[in-house]
Structure formats: structure tokens, C-alpha cells
Amino acid sequence: MRSYSLSSAPDATEYRISVKREERGAASTYLHTRLNRGDVIEAAAPRGAFVLADARTPVALFSAGIGVTPVPAMLHQLAREHSSRAVWWVHTTRDPGRHAFAEEARQLVGRLPHARSFVYYTAPEYTVPDPGAPGGPCVIHGRMTSGAVRELGVPADAHAYLCGPTGFMSNVTSALQSAGLSGSNIHTEVFGALAAINPGVTSPGTGRPHQPPGPQGTGPSVTFARSGLSTHWSDQYATLLELTEGCDIPTRWSCRTGVCHTCTTPLLTGQVQYTTHPLEDPDPGEVLPCCSVPTTDVLLDL
């Protein structure tokens, strides 16, 4: 099973996925070489929360490499609405030959009266050309720095959407927060495979688990067996995964929508309900914290 982002406009009459062919990618090679027009595939309905917030505030779209695939859909939506919102389109890639959606993004940005476009090319041998046609992106040679993010002038009330390697998203998130953006206004989507993991096992240097910040909850008791921590559920958290993160309990996740099963955790006692039903049910005695909440006292093997 593979998960791909939709890159088409939200109101399009068809779904579009944009898949880079990887040298050893079994699924991407199949899509590029074996799948033909008219073939039938088995697919689940779209899901996930990496979509534009229903707000009139400024928007900043940051992507790197093939992490660009989900953000054109947002740009399409803004252009379709003839949005007057301030928009920043910021993309990092190796060189023009690997710049996905370059012309499509240029045209969409051109339809937005208050949009700015910045493109970073990281290839050492790349030379920045003379300025192109008016309305084109600002092209920069090198990697985007934290200082450069702050200099973009993204206002504190903006909503920022980030997709790319984890290091890229961490750096951009830190820079945006130092520029005044709230963490709740910074939305991220992990792109790429994660290393093999054992939820609940942490590496040296991880902070000690602790009670979640804020007032103590009044809901069912949630106990993390390996961490020796027990707390009460609070409705301020949307899922058990969010509570786990609030307590600095070591775990891993990828999709946060019940698709990848990266966060699968043994449920030792208790019952949960799913706010978003998993694409496939976990095995008996296991739970997906990314899309579940407790309905009774629970004991998790974390």
C-alpha cells in the first residue's frame, strides 16, 4: 500500500497524484512503466488534515524537493477563489531540471494579486540567470537559511504549510516561530519513508516524560506503561497521539490519519474509539493513537 498526495485543484473533476520515479522504487516504477490509461486500480478515498485552513489570513507555502506535491492544490484553491490574501510560495530544489510544477506554479502565482514567489536552487554548479519576465519567481542560489525565512516578512497571523524532509521542516518551523508565528498556525506533512522503529523505545538524550502542560484533564485515565506516567484525558487533545506528544512520550508517526500504521501500539487494557476510522483495522490488542481517543481508562505500551 502506498500513500500519495493529491496535487490537483480541490474542485477538479479528477484526482491527480504526482509521483517521482525513484531508481529502486517498486511502486513509482510500476506507475511510470506499467500503468496505462484505462487501467483500474484499488484506492481509498482521500483523507488527512493538510489542507488550507478556513481563514482569511495570509498564507505561506513552503516545500522542498518532492515535498512540493501537496501544496499546488492549495495554490490552485487560492487562484480559483481569486484570493486577495497575501501569499508566499517558497520552494527549494536542486536545479531547474528537477523543478516540479515550475510553470504551473508561475501561472497560478501570477493570478494572485498579493503573491510572491521564491525558488532556491541548491546545485553547486547552478548559476543564477539574469532576471526573467516580470512576475516570475525570485531565484536564489543556495539553501534557504533561517535568516532568509525571517526576512520573507511572513506576518505573525499567517498560516504556514510545510512539506519536505524533516530537517527542512524543523528549520523552517523554528524560523517561523522566531518570527512570531504560533505553533498552531504552522502545518506540516511528513514526506518520505521513516526508518524502522519500535514505538516506546527512545534514544539517549530524549527528555523525560512528564504531565501534559495546562490544567489536568477530567476524562479517562491514560497510563503509559513503559514511561511510568499516568494522566487524565482532556478534550484539548484531538487524539491519543497528541496527548502522547504533549507528555514527551517517545513514539513515532507518519500519516496521522490511520493509513500507515507507523504509530501502532499495544493496548494492554481499556477501550478507544476512532475519530477517523483506519484504512485497515489494527490487529487485536493494538491501537492507532494517531486517530483514536479513550472511552475508558486505558493502559498503553509506551
Side-chain angles (χ1 to χ4, degrees), residues 185-261:
N185 280 16
I186 301 175
H187 315 273
T188 61
E189 180 162 273
V190 173
F191 206 93
L194 295 173
I197 53 100
N198 185 1
V201 175
T202 181
S203 58
T206 302
R208 291 180 60 84
H210 55 79
Q211 290 291 325
Q216 180 70 248
T218 58
S221 172
V222 179
T223 301
F224 302 97
R226 298 195 205 185
S227 302
L229 178 71
S230 184
T231 189
H232 282 276
W233 175 253
S234 169
D235 287 338
Q236 69 174 305
Y237 297 101
T239 65
L240 278 166
L241 177 59
E242 287 192 7
L243 174 62
T244 303
E245 293 172 327
C247 297
D248 280 337
I249 303 293
T251 189
R252 288 288 296 276
W253 54 270
S254 179
C255 71
R256 301 185 83 99
T257 59
V259 174
C260 69
H261 286 222

Side-chain angles (χ1 to χ4, degrees), residues 61-68 89-95 98-100 118-123 140-145 149 163-165 168 172:
L61 305 175
F62 290 88
S63 58
I66 56 176
V68 69
W89 172 267
V90 188
H91 180 58
T92 298
T93 188
R94 181 170 174 78
D95 54 50
R98 305 189 193 189
H99 188 173
F118 300 85
V119 176
Y120 289 80
Y121 291 132
T122 62
I140 303 143
H141 183 209
R143 296 190 179 277
M144 183 173 56
T145 64
V149 173
C163 188
F168 164 83
V172 175

